[in-house]
Amino acid sequence: MKRSAIAAIAAGATLATAAAVTGIAGAVADTTSPPAATWQPPTAPPTGWGPMGPCGWMHNMYVSDEAGYLTHMVAHHEEAVAAARQLQRSNRPQMRALGASIVTTQNAEIATMKDWLAKWYPGHPAARDYRPMMRDLSRLSGDALDETFLQGMIPHHMVAIMMSQQLLASGRAEHPEVADFAARVRDTQHAEMFQMRRYLADWFGERGGPCGRWDRPGPHGPGNMMD
């Protein structure tokens, strides 16, 4: 077999494995989705969660263009920052550190994206159709705060990974700065997502996938995520 063919097969296998691990292969591969599509909720989420639930609607979001990616990612980041601030009340230093890292990193990225929108897409509307994913954490504390944050932020990160990879795979990034940014968001949040999954497994015994069945009541939330 020619060396180029072997390399192509190996590259394809690597990409397929990465997509399967994050559970987003179908959404990432679908670059033929209608360009005007945005968030399309198919079903009601489990009781107690935001309108999108912890996972439910993320496969119904499509990146229409670079401006749409940036506006939706700004809203997505803002929600993550608001949730991560709540972790300063956590009893676990690992969670406080995670929250502080998300706040610092994503606040800086929000400022960068807003600068790009003002420079390249003046007058582009904000993401008015953005629907929250995260549960209200303000009344939770202790294990309930930590577990519920992790259950919500893992799929929240998966949406950012999906959006970023879809922008890159579809070739809709019009500026190299945005392409680099999307790759960085994808890789950073992928690493954070797996760290959070380890926390769920180590502290709460939750070893299922981040977006599986919600068929077992959880001790501190509406349910545990099962494969």
Side-chain angles (χ1 to χ4, degrees):
M1 184 178 294
K2 293 183 178 180
R3 181 175 300 177
S4 59
I6 295 174
I9 292 171
T14 300
L15 289 173
T17 300
V21 169
T22 58
I24 58 174
V28 169
D30 182 13
T31 59
T32 61
S33 303
T38 53
W39 299 101
Q40 298 178 12
T43 58
T47 302
W49 292 88
M52 280 192 64
C55 297
W57 300 350
M58 68 185 190
H59 292 298
N60 293 275
M61 191 284 301
Y62 305 107
V63 174
S64 58
D65 52 32
E66 182 179 88
Y69 168 81
L70 292 172
T71 55
H72 274 84
M73 193 62 78
V74 165
H76 197 71
H77 271 32
E78 288 174 341
E79 183 183 31
V81 168
R85 289 188 191 281
Q86 299 293 326
L87 292 183
Q88 293 311 301
R89 296 184 290 105
S90 173
N91 297 327
R92 292 182 171 91
Q94 301 97 318
M95 293 296 287
R96 294 195 299 272
L98 173 64
S101 176
I102 291 174
V103 169
T104 300
T105 300
Q106 297 201 22
N107 264 336
E109 291 175 346
I110 289 168
T112 297
M113 290 187 287
K114 286 184 174 180
D115 285 346
W116 286 340
L117 284 166
K119 178 181 178 181
W120 297 326
Y121 305 102
H124 191 279
R128 291 188 295 269
D129 57 342
Y130 181 80
R131 292 175 171 83
M133 291 184 65
M134 296 296 294
R135 182 181 176 182
D136 180 11
L137 304 173
S138 62
R139 298 183 180 181
L140 300 179
S141 61
D143 282 354
L145 171 63
D146 292 349
E147 184 180 14
T148 304
F149 176 88
L150 293 170
Q151 288 177 333
M153 192 56 72
I154 289 172
H156 197 274
H157 271 32
M158 289 182 70
V159 169
I161 293 167
M162 182 189 76
M163 289 173 64
S164 299
Q165 181 61 20
Q166 191 178 59
L167 180 76
L168 295 170
S170 65
R172 291 172 182 154
E174 299 180 20
H175 296 84
E177 300 97 318
V178 177
D180 291 342
F181 172 84
R184 185 168 65 252
V185 167
R186 178 198 61 198
D187 296 343
T188 300
Q189 296 206 16
H190 186 272
E192 286 181 348
M193 183 187 74
F194 275 88
Q195 179 62 67
M196 289 188 286
R197 291 185 68 177
R198 285 192 290 271
Y199 288 158
L200 271 180
D202 292 345
W203 297 335
F204 305 109
E206 297 183 27
R207 301 184 181 276
C211 283
R213 299 192 311 273
W214 285 77
D215 56 1
R216 179 165 61 90
H220 307 300
N224 289 331
M225 286 166 281
M226 304 284 289
D227 281 338

